[in-house]
Amino acid sequence: MLHIWVYTMDMNSMAIEKNGLFSINVDRRLSAKEQWEDFLHELCHVLRHSGNQMVMPDRYVDWQEQDASSFQLYAAIPMSMLKKLSLPEQKSEMVAFLAEEFQVTYRLANERVEQIQRRVLQGILDYEYQQFTQSQINTYNPANWSDATRAIMNKLEHLKQKGGMAHRQTSRLL
């Protein structure tokens, strides 16, 4: 459907584009699970990247490789499918279950679980930070100030109305 030629050879997996035609070689020396993972990695290069990595700056090549590895996780264990499963509670059991269910290596299943855990934790932290900042906005209410704070704020307001502290400081320097 995507007009990508896929073949296997005894060489490292790679994606190749020549004259607008795309092909992916998958290293046949790998296990079936590793071949699937390599295919997904290379598929990302075909779908999302362009250029010859042999002549690219190292940082750009590193970014493409990182992007392909991230894509590989999503493509190998899609969240839409993951949500439909009843997962074990223990992480090690969950990783083993996902590795078997999606026919991927234990390593990749573990990376995907850790990625999801990081995102869940980040969501919790974002929510707690949002709640904290909202509570700070609510506490900056003059009605909640102590008498000492109110006295200081009144003095500052009085100084501001008289021309401000900056004006007073400038006058002294002149």
Side-chain angles (χ1 to χ4, degrees), residues 66-139:
Q66 182 180 357
D67 185 52
S69 294
S70 181
F71 174 91
Q72 177 188 50
L73 294 176
Y74 289 110
I77 305 176
M79 185 58 77
S80 60
M81 295 174 73
L82 197 54
K83 287 179 180 180
K84 296 177 182 179
L85 298 174
S86 179
L87 299 173
E89 295 270 335
Q90 296 295 318
K91 180 183 174 188
S92 60
E93 293 174 15
M94 184 185 306
V95 170
F97 173 78
L98 293 175
E100 182 62 32
E101 186 71 20
F102 289 94
Q103 290 300 295
V104 295
T105 61
Y106 188 90
R107 179 201 56 80
L108 187 136
N110 188 59
E111 281 184 43
R112 183 68 166 122
V113 168
E114 288 178 354
Q115 178 194 53
I116 292 166
Q117 287 176 328
R118 281 191 307 274
R119 293 192 175 195
V120 167
L121 178 59
Q122 187 63 55
I124 292 168
L125 293 174
D126 290 347
Y127 176 77
E128 289 181 1
Y129 179 73
Q130 182 182 34
Q131 296 303 304
F132 172 75
T133 56
Q134 189 61 41
S135 72
Q136 296 300 49
I137 290 169
N138 293 338
T139 59

